[in-house]
Amino acid sequence: MSAPAKAAGLPIGVDNQQIAEVFEEIAELLALQDANPFRIRAYRNAARTLRGEEHPLAERIAAGQALPKLPGIGHDLTEKITELARSGECQLLNRLRREVPPGLGELLQLPGIGPKRAHQLYHELGVDSLAALREAVAGGRVRRLSGFGRTLEDKLRRALASRTSGQQRYLLPQAAAQAGPLLDYLKQLPLVERALIAGSYRRRRDTVGDLDVLLQADAQDGQAMAAVLRFPAIAEVFASGATRASLGLRGGMQVDVRIVAADSFGAALQYFTGSKAHGIALRRRAQAQGCKLNEYGLFRDGNKLAGRNEADIYQALGLPPIPPELREDSGEIDAAEHNRLPRLIELDDLRGDLHCHTNASDGHDSLRQMALAAQRRGWQYLAITEHSRRLSVAHGLDTDRLLRQLDEIDRLNDELHGLTLLKGIEVEILADGSLDLPDELLARLDIVVGAVHSHYQLSRARQTARLQRAMDSPHFNILAHPCGRLLLQREPYPLDIERVIAHAKQRGCFLELNAQPQRLDLDDHCCRLAKHQGVLLSIASDAHRASDFDLLEFGIGQARRGCLEAADALNSRSLAQLRRLLR
Ligand code: DGT
Ligand code: CA
Ligand code: CA
């Protein structure tokens, strides 16, 4: 069978194998929740059926045809398949991924550990990661669980010892959730004068490998480190001395701790903030000036020129301080040397947010709650951009429901002071680049944000042409999460982003920097490309609840890594300027 001609060779969305993978993951996560075995088996069986099914089901759904009767696939699973075919996502899977601690899946890779025992470890001992299991094994607690015993515990100890940990990476909020309590603890220690996290976390990289903690304290007698090691959420101490330690946290992250004296704190901060490439380039510069730079300070002929403050190191090397977000050896030292460092954008530069949802589609808070939260932030505007009808999993709006929301926005705007709600939509960009709602309706809106939530598998050329065509629509304003990546989960789809940026420039459109920490899309590199072409970016929260406006902090971090200044952001503009730019 083939897609209908009118859909212009409608591309194949998710294929059967991908649907099978989703079902297998659901089965595994359900098992980790110790769910009903029949339900788990239903997903496993359905996955098996799908692996052997040659008709691409998603194509049938796209063509509006009924699905063939398949063994083990009843009403419920058919709905899941339809959801996946339409949106490329599965809400149940998303929910399970949120509910089941990510570290639990790792336990399954150990000998003798299946879902049942993993569930038992979690519920009876609170073990939710390899690091936590190490601790439980070390404490002799595992052998006491029913069905475990000493033999299995020994086996686990050997398996754990042979694994190198710390290779996993973490999203910024996951890292923050582990770093926050640790920093709070360290800061209240009487012996600790200063505590900071350096490394990729300070540089606001999109994912973080480990935490590099820097403490200012007197390390001499080992008292300071002893106090550090009393932090309750430590699962394992890999190594420790008076000035350095390497730890595993219960949350799974690894931490490198260094204790340094006040007169080299700045040098250590500079060194351990990295990146390695930036550090090497800076050291080369020091050498060219007849100096030596290391984590203790900047020296010439054995005399210390700087070390106490980070900024002093740069200054002694003839440079203004370089913001951590730029330290990737991608031109920042040269720019600093010629006084061309950008004045990086800050959260306070934003005058509003141009992408958010309410409970009219898949958000949690009401329009009023979102508006009041925006008002409390002192914003001038907030664009309400629900999903459109085609994204049925997200309860997307059709014409009638959108019109009703527009009336509601009018009423609220009469009432609100200081804040203007803009009428918008996050309209689905269909496979061929057309939009999911009629032009007459889009014409009534203040702002049209377009997004791709399906058909990720198109060729690079077709995906690029699809987005270009979407921007050709007369009412199109902003391309949401342009590259479609989901960090640690899904690669961006093949796309000629430079062409897309050039097309946006030509069409007077804008691109989004989506601040959701699993997206951060555009990424830093693409931000630079857009800035270079003079295409303004909407740094947007994509909030689904009022508290999500806080996520803008992550978007700003990425924007700064992308060299963006306030003037490079669409939503740093006043309402009047914004309206002009949106035409
Ligand atoms: P991550 O943890 O993988 O997200 O990335 P980073 O940048 O935090 O890297 P990490 O934790 O291995 O090291 C922290 C910083 O320490 C790194 O950014 C720069 C510095 N550093 C580590 N190893 C070296 C090295 O061999 N040479 C130099 N110059 N600096 C290093
Ligand atoms: Ca690190
Ligand atoms: Ca490290």
Side-chain angles (χ1 to χ4, degrees), residues 254-477:
Q254 205 168 310
V255 185
D256 287 335
V257 181
R258 282 120 186 153
I259 301 184
V260 294
D263 67 347
S264 47
F265 189 83
L269 182 57
Q270 197 290 316
Y271 183 91
F272 291 111
T273 295
S275 67
K276 189 169 162 179
H278 173 87
I280 290 171
L282 203 64
R283 208 163 346 137
R284 219 179 294 126
R285 183 182 174 88
Q287 278 159 2
Q289 298 182 7
C291 299
K292 192 177 140 206
L293 176 63
N294 59 28
E295 61 263 53
Y296 301 102
L298 180 70
F299 303 87
R300 181 182 281 135
D301 306 327
N303 295 320
K304 191 161 179 166
L305 305 180
R308 185 172 287 270
N309 295 305
E310 195 183 47
D312 297 346
I313 306 232
Y314 287 98
Q315 195 185 19
L317 292 170
L319 300 172
I322 299 177
E325 295 92 334
L326 294 181
R327 300 184 197 171
E328 300 290 345
D329 192 25
S330 52
E332 72 278 9
I333 294 180
D334 196 47
E337 158 123 52
H338 296 95
N339 253 316
R340 283 199 319 259
L341 278 179
R343 253 192 69 124
L344 296 181
I345 187 166
E346 292 172 14
L347 194 55
D348 281 348
D349 291 322
L350 300 185
R351 313 263 185 102
D353 193 342
L354 300 176
H355 184 168
C356 79
H357 301 268
T358 76
N359 57 10
S361 65
D362 63 343
H364 290 77
D365 291 337
S366 68
L367 181 61
R368 177 181 293 272
Q369 285 168 318
M370 296 299 279
L372 293 178
Q375 195 182 37
R376 276 196 298 278
R377 287 179 175 253
W379 284 343
Q380 292 185 12
Y381 47 84
L382 174 68
I384 305 297
T385 57
E386 310 287 12
H387 291 291
S388 65
R389 58 191 172 188
R390 183 68 73 103
L391 200 61
S392 45
V393 284
H395 208 47
L397 302 193
D398 57 19
T399 301
D400 284 349
R401 287 170 56 218
L402 179 55
L403 288 175
R404 252 179 284 148
Q405 186 178 62
L406 300 189
D407 288 341
E408 207 185 327
I409 288 177
D410 280 333
R411 280 196 299 276
L412 260 172
N413 272 338
D414 285 343
E415 205 183 294
L416 290 166
H417 294 286
L419 179 88
T420 300
L421 292 175
L422 297 175
K423 297 170 179 172
I425 190 80
E426 179 181 7
V427 66
E428 284 299 294
I429 298 173
L430 305 182
D432 62 359
S434 60
L435 303 181
D436 183 26
L437 289 171
D439 274 351
E440 312 82 75
L441 185 57
L442 298 181
R444 299 184 49 171
L445 302 175
D446 299 311
I447 183 167
V448 173
V449 177
V452 157
H453 294 104
S454 67
H455 303 288
Y456 301 122
Q457 293 84 352
L458 298 189
S459 69
R460 180 176 152 103
R462 287 179 71 185
Q463 197 66 271
T464 305
R466 176 193 191 185
L467 297 186
Q468 287 177 314
R469 179 164 172 221
M471 286 190 262
D472 286 338
S473 156
H475 307 295
F476 195 98
N477 297 123

Side-chain angles (χ1 to χ4, degrees), residues 198-201 208-212 256:
S200 54
Y201 186 76
V208 175
D210 72 354
L211 298 173
D212 301 283
D256 287 335

Side-chain angles (χ1 to χ4, degrees), residues 21 40 49 96 111 204 472 474 503 572 580 582:
E21 276 167 30
I40 298 167
T49 303
L96 287 169
R204 301 276 89 184
D472 286 338
H503 203 75
S572 67
R580 270 198 297 281
L582 296 173

